[in-house]
């Protein structure tokens, strides 16, 4: 019995000793780390006091602290930043869909400001700014070395005032100066139109109005075609859509899915992960779909394209998307400001992250570059080739009734209209042709 007790005590003492041997270094490491952090904070305080007391000019202490905070956040990634009260208010207004500015979504790359995408119908779009452009100067002042917020601040100004932006564009030998007049940007989140028997849904941003607008515009176009039975398919145009609210990306994806995962987000800690699933109900009743994307399709746009692609719900057409696969959380702070912090990565239903990779289209279709009109050139229609019907004395086709002849002429007019669309928007015309082909193969009409 004594041996048993002694053995037990020995085991207990050995366990305690082992615990002490393991825990001791860990506690020492944690204490050392904490000490290092406090030393760094003391260093920060010392530098702050020296700047305040000895800098050649008097400094604004509040601006100095804001710059330090923003520097800390922007050192993490291009999408984390500090939002002073004015910028926080502006961001909330943009989310609601109306704000003043140029109408471009930008990020920072290699020290320069890169255009993610121009927003449809805005001054930047009308001035010819394109996704992928690098902004190097604003009114002659270089943006190299500025933070993204500082560069954006340079571009802000009164509505109606002009700004000259210098851009470097791939394929152009010389930088391009573009004059843009600032205006109030009123975003129409979703617009729709009918091309033949196809409904085209153009989604420009993901704000509070996106899903309600989508539902309304889809219904309007279906009514224009007198019912879903007359619709051969839908084109969801997400080109140059810089993204926006995650909640709206989920709702838009859900609009075309009956079940299954839409997107998952994974943070640093497992408990911060979330999974979002579709609910029953497809606004299109399963009609064929094509999703259009390009290099200006980012964030929420990529969530939608990735979800519909992984579920084989839509054919994705265009060029590789931007590749922003991270989630930012806006956290209000004391003093009415906020910080935008990257808190998670998102994954498509198949488990793939698109961070820095983008969504690859099922069918790669590049948009031909804009061709500037040549001086002195006239817009003359191409001459139609001569046909049998043009020959003098040719026989008439007496096998057709007037109604049949009228139907053939109407179908020919639709085909010619589609050919015109290829000149205006080749990618969209390609998407519509896919849906026409699927419709032609459908045995049930």
């Amino acid at each position: 019995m004594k041996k048993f007790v002694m053995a037990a005590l020995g085991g207990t003492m050995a366990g305690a000793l082992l615990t002490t041997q393991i825990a001791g270094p860990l506690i020492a490491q944690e204490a050392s780390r904490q000490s290092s952090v406090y030393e760094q904070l003391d260093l920060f305080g010392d530098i702050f006091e020296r700047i305040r007391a000895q800098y050649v000019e008097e400094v604004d202490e509040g601006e100095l602290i804001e710059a330090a905070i923003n520097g800390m956040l922007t050192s993490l990634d291009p999408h984390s930043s500090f939002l002073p009260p004015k910028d926080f208010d502006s961001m909330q207004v943009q989310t609601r869909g109306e704000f003043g500015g140029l109408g471009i979504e930008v990020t920072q790359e290699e020290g320069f400001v890169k255009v993610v995408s121009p927003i449809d119908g805005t001054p930047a779009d009308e001035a010819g700014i394109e996704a992928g452009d690098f902004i190097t100067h604003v009114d002659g002042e270089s943006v190299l070395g500025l933070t993204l917020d500082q560069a954006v601040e340079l571009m802000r100004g009164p509505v109606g005032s002009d700004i000259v932006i210098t851009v470097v564009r791939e394929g152009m030998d010389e930088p391009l100066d573009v004059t843009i007049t600032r205006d109030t940007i009123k975003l129409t989140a979703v617009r729709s139109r009918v091309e033949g028997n196809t409904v085209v849904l153009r989604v420009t941003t993901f704000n509070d109005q996106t899903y309600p607008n989508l539902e309304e515009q889809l219904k309007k176009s279906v009514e224009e075609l007198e019912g879903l039975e007359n619709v051969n398919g839908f084109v969801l145009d997400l080109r140059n859509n810089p993204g926006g609210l995650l909640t709206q990306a989920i709702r838009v994806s859900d609009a075309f899915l009956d079940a299954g995962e839409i997107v998952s987000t994974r943070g640093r800690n497992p408990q911060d992960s979330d999974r979002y699933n579709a609910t029953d109900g497809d606004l299109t009743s399963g009609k064929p779909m094509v999703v259009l994307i390009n290099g200006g399709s980012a964030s929420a746009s990529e969530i939608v394209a990735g979800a519909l692609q992984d579920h084989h719900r839509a054919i994705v057409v265009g060029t590789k998307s931007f590749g922003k696969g991270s989630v930012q959380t806006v956290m209000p702070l004391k003093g009415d400001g906020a910080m935008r912090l990257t808190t998670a990565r998102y994954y498509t239903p198949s488990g793939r992250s698109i961070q820095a990779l983008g969504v690859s289209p099922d069918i790669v279709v590049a948009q031909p570059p804009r061709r500037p009109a040549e001086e002195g050139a006239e817009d003359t229609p191409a001459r139609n080739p001569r046909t049998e019907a043009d020959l003098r004395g040719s026989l008439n086709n007496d096998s057709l009734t007037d109604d049949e002849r009228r139907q053939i002429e109407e179908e020919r007019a639709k085909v010619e209209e589609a050919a015109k669309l290829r000149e205006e928007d080749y990618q969209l015309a390609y998407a519509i042709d896919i849906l026409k082909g699927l419709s032609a193969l459908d045995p049930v009409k």
Side-chain angles (χ1 to χ4, degrees):
M1 182 67 179
K2 282 184 180 179
K3 288 181 180 178
F4 177 77
V5 173
M6 289 301 292
L9 283 173
T12 303
M13 290 180 66
L17 182 61
L18 183 63
T19 302
T20 304
Q21 288 175 339
I22 293 173
L26 290 177
I27 292 170
Q29 286 175 12
E30 180 64 18
S32 174
R33 192 181 69 83
Q34 291 290 341
S35 175
S36 176
V37 169
Y38 289 132
E39 286 175 7
Q40 292 292 318
L41 289 173
D42 285 341
L43 176 63
F44 174 81
D46 183 38
I47 292 172
F48 176 76
E49 287 300 329
R50 287 181 183 233
I51 292 172
R52 189 169 65 163
Q54 298 177 16
Y55 185 65
V56 65
E57 294 177 355
E58 190 173 343
V59 296
D60 185 305
E61 296 168 357
E63 289 182 0
L64 201 60
I65 292 172
E66 282 187 6
I69 294 170
N70 198 47
M72 180 167 54
L73 286 164
T74 55
S75 71
L76 301 172
D77 65 74
H79 307 294
S80 295
S81 63
F82 176 65
L83 298 170
K86 183 179 71 172
D87 293 347
F88 186 34
D89 290 342
S90 175
M91 188 207 73
Q92 290 174 305
V93 171
Q94 289 183 37
T95 302
R96 292 192 292 270
E98 182 174 329
F99 56 96
L102 305 178
I104 48 175
E105 178 79 10
V106 294
T107 187
Q108 198 159 35
E109 189 174 301
E110 298 177 359
F112 291 107
V113 177
K114 183 179 182 180
V115 177
V116 176
S117 69
I119 300 169
D120 283 5
T122 62
D125 180 48
E126 291 169 0
I129 297 295
E130 297 181 3
D133 284 350
F134 280 93
I135 299 174
T136 61
H137 293 75
V138 175
D139 285 333
E141 183 176 345
S142 175
V143 300
L144 186 63
L146 298 181
T147 67
L148 186 60
D149 286 340
Q150 288 171 333
V152 169
E153 189 65 32
L154 274 182
M155 290 186 270
R156 289 185 176 137
V159 170
S161 61
D162 287 343
I163 180 175
V164 178
I165 290 178
T166 304
V167 301
V168 172
R169 182 175 298 166
E170 187 177 355
M172 294 185 64
D173 296 331
E174 297 293 330
L176 179 68
D177 286 336
V178 182
T179 301
I180 306 174
T181 303
R182 298 179 179 95
D183 200 357
T184 299
I185 310 301
K186 294 182 179 179
L187 295 181
T188 303
V190 183
R191 296 194 301 271
S192 70
R193 74 180 199 258
V194 170
E195 291 285 348
N197 293 98
T198 302
V199 174
V200 180
L201 298 163
R202 169 72 180 135
V203 183
T204 58
T205 188
F206 287 87
N207 62 25
D208 287 336
Q209 301 304 312
T210 302
Y211 179 78
N213 285 174
L214 177 81
E215 194 173 25
E216 177 188 347
Q217 290 292 316
L218 188 150
K219 183 180 178 182
K220 184 192 79 171
S221 291
V222 169
E223 287 176 353
E224 186 178 336
L225 288 172
E226 299 181 349
L228 263 176
E229 63 275 8
N230 297 319
V231 178
N232 67 8
F234 292 80
V235 175
L236 186 64
D237 188 353
L238 299 176
R239 291 173 298 173
N240 293 329
N241 183 322
L245 300 177
L246 173 64
T247 52
Q248 290 293 312
I250 292 166
R251 293 192 71 187
V252 169
S253 302
D254 196 3
F256 306 107
L257 294 170
D258 280 318
E261 182 181 309
I262 292 172
V263 67
S264 62
T265 61
R266 303 176 202 173
R268 178 176 174 178
N269 300 313
Q271 60 267 29
D272 295 333
S273 299
D274 283 304
R275 190 179 303 273
Y276 302 90
N277 295 314
T279 56
D280 188 35
D282 177 348
L283 295 182
T284 69
S285 298
K287 288 282 184 176
M289 282 189 69
V290 172
V291 175
L292 281 175
I293 60 170
N294 65 3
S297 307
S299 191
S301 299
E302 295 172 294
I303 289 174
V304 175
L308 297 180
Q309 184 181 53
D310 280 3
H311 283 287
H312 305 289
R313 178 64 188 87
I315 300 170
V316 179
V317 171
T319 54
K320 185 171 71 71
S321 64
F322 185 75
K324 181 182 176 293
S326 60
V327 179
Q328 283 67 48
T329 302
V330 177
M331 305 174 183
L333 302 171
K334 292 178 181 178
D336 297 327
M339 71 172 174
R340 185 193 288 114
L341 186 67
T342 300
T343 54
R345 288 182 173 88
Y346 70 76
Y347 296 80
T348 68
S350 64
R352 58 186 167 131
S353 169
I354 63 159
Q355 176 60 29
L357 295 176
V359 174
S360 296
D362 299 308
I363 304 174
V364 176
V365 179
Q367 187 83 307
R370 296 178 181 177
R371 290 180 298 178
E374 297 180 8
E375 291 184 12
E378 295 183 4
D379 293 332
T380 55
R383 184 182 174 188
N384 292 325
R386 287 173 62 84
T387 66
E388 171 72 14
D390 297 319
L391 299 178
R392 181 178 298 176
S394 62
L395 297 175
N396 291 327
N397 189 325
D398 58 1
S399 66
L400 297 175
T401 65
D402 290 342
D403 286 342
E404 288 172 334
R405 193 183 301 277
R406 190 181 306 112
Q407 184 178 353
I408 289 173
E409 289 172 354
E410 287 174 357
E411 288 176 355
R412 182 182 297 143
K414 287 180 182 178
V415 171
E416 290 172 355
E417 193 67 30
K420 288 181 186 176
L421 182 61
R422 290 191 193 96
E423 292 294 323
E424 299 168 10
D425 190 338
Y426 182 76
Q427 289 174 320
L428 177 59
Y430 196 103
I432 291 171
D433 284 345
I434 288 174
L435 293 173
K436 283 181 182 174
L438 292 173
S439 176
L441 293 173
D442 188 357
V444 180
K445 290 190 179 179

